[in-house]
Each structure stands twice: as C-alpha cells, then as structure tokens.
Amino acid sequence: MYLCNQMDDKHYLQSLINEGEHQQQDFKYRVSDALKLAKSVSAFANTDGGRLLIGVRDDGHMSGVRSEEEIYMMHQAAYRYCRPEASIKFDTYHVEGRTIVIATVPPSDKRPICVVNEDDKPRAYIRIADENIVASPVHLAIWRESQNPKGTMMTYTETVSKLLAAMQGQRLTLNQIVRRSAIPRHKVITLLARLIRFHIAQWEYTDQQFLFSPL
C-alpha cells in the first residue's frame, strides 16, 4: 500500500511539473530566503491564486526539500512577512526518498496582500504569466475601489473627460497620462482605477511597464 501511495504521489507531482511554470504555478528549488518566497505568496493571493512546488528545480527535476529550516521559512513567508496574513495550505509528498512540498495559495478577499521587508516597507505583488511583478499604484487603487460599497456608479465629470481625451486611444504609462492630462497624479490613479473597474479602460504589462488605455 505504501509503495502504491508513493507511485500515486509521483504521478501526481509529475503531472503538475509537466505543466511548467505559469500564471498559477511556480517552482522553487530551495527556500533560502523567506522574503523571496513571500513575494510569490503575495502575487498569487493578489491575482488568481496558485501553488508553489517547493523542492522542484526550474527544469522540473524533483530535488526535494533539504531541511526542517526550509519548511520553517515557508511558514514564515505566509505568516510573518505577509500583511495581512495570507491563507496558505501546505501538503507534503514523499517520492523516492525526497520530500516535495506544495504550498497552495487561494486568491485573497483582503487585497492587497503585501510583503513587509526588513525596512517595514510594504509592497504588493501580482502574478503575470510566470513572473511576480510589483503592483502599480493603480492596482492598489483598484483594490481600494473594490472594497468601497459606495463606489457602485461611474460619473462622467469634466475631469474624467479630460483624462480620456489625454489618453486619446493610446497605450500610455501612468506618468505619461499625468503629464498629458495635467491632472494631479493621485487623482489620475483614482480615476484610472475607477475606469478599469467599470470596464471603460484597461491595463496591460508590456516591456516591463504598465500601460493604460481606453476600451
């Protein structure tokens, strides 16, 4: 029975590994830094959720978790360095003498889940394809908007019209929009978040920058 379970675990893990790294899956060969692991936890929690296969190399080789210290750092990543604490479930698998841990992170309803570094400076991450990217100020505003029960309507004010005119159907960075519109940066961030929430504008990540455009 034990051998059968080992084979089932191996087949299950291999099926996940065959998917490669993607929007909802990341491989971690070793856990040498809980802060780095926390970035993945934050990114998954702030996006669509996902799982970390810990003890798996980038090439898919199952090398295994090497020590109890690594398992301790996994818990630190979720419960010490993430604010608010991220929900995370750890499942341990034993295959051919190696221990593989799957950390499953559901999407959070308390976004943003931020990573607090040694300087106590919080940063939120999002998951784009197989990368963890620092969330833009607009994403932070979108999350604030989504938690505002009063923000259920979109009003076309003169400022909104001015903002849309400045964008002129182009894909622009936040700084470009601020310069073109001559609207204070904090107002541009708030309005972009609202426009995106109501599907009037959109964002994309291209060439390592966030671009915004009308729909």
Side-chain angles (χ1 to χ4, degrees), residues 5-198:
N5 289 338
Q6 285 258 314
M7 292 301 294
D8 288 345
D9 286 354
K10 183 177 181 179
H11 290 152
Y12 173 64
L13 290 171
Q14 193 61 57
S15 70
L16 297 181
I17 290 170
N18 289 344
E19 294 179 15
E21 293 181 307
H22 53 71
Q23 181 89 10
Q24 293 181 279
Q25 181 164 283
D26 199 4
F27 297 162
K28 293 292 181 187
Y29 162 46
R30 295 188 65 182
V31 181
S32 56
D33 187 338
L35 270 174
K36 288 183 179 179
L37 187 65
K39 292 178 182 179
S40 292
V41 174
S42 167
F44 283 138
N46 289 330
T47 314
D48 301 318
R51 57 180 169 260
L52 286 153
L53 273 61
I54 303 167
V56 177
R57 295 177 183 268
D58 288 343
D59 62 5
H61 175 72
M62 286 186 272
S63 55
V65 174
R66 297 182 179 276
S67 69
E68 290 295 323
E69 184 181 357
E70 289 188 66
I71 295 174
Y72 171 71
M73 281 193 284
M74 293 178 213
H75 288 82
Q76 274 195 317
Y79 305 125
R80 177 178 174 182
Y81 292 112
C82 287
R83 292 290 179 275
E85 286 185 3
S87 296
I88 187 166
K89 179 170 72 78
F90 295 100
D91 292 299
T92 302
Y93 298 85
H94 302 285
V95 176
E96 297 175 351
R98 298 180 178 89
T99 299
I100 307 296
V101 177
I102 297 181
T104 304
V105 181
S108 176
D109 57 1
K110 298 179 181 178
R111 303 175 193 181
I113 301 295
C114 295
V115 177
V116 180
N117 60 23
E118 294 93 339
D119 301 325
D120 279 342
K121 185 176 181 180
R123 282 193 178 89
Y125 292 81
I126 59 174
R127 184 78 173 172
I128 300 176
D130 60 352
E131 294 185 83
N132 302 323
I133 308 295
V134 177
S136 75
V138 177
H139 286 91
L140 300 179
I142 290 171
W143 291 324
R144 285 196 299 269
E145 276 282 313
S146 66
Q147 294 170 13
N148 179 12
K150 295 181 180 178
T152 56
M153 296 180 63
M154 182 72 212
T155 304
Y156 278 88
T157 63
E158 183 179 339
T159 307
V160 170
S161 299
K162 185 178 179 182
L163 178 63
L164 290 171
M167 296 170 74
Q168 295 178 340
Q170 301 180 62
R171 298 182 304 160
L172 302 171
T173 65
L174 174 59
N175 288 338
Q176 288 172 327
I177 295 170
V178 170
R179 287 195 299 268
R180 290 186 179 209
S181 67
I183 300 171
R185 181 183 174 88
H186 71 278
K187 287 188 177 180
V188 171
I189 291 170
T190 299
L191 290 174
L192 275 177
R194 196 159 296 167
L195 290 168
I196 291 169
R197 181 184 177 188
F198 287 95

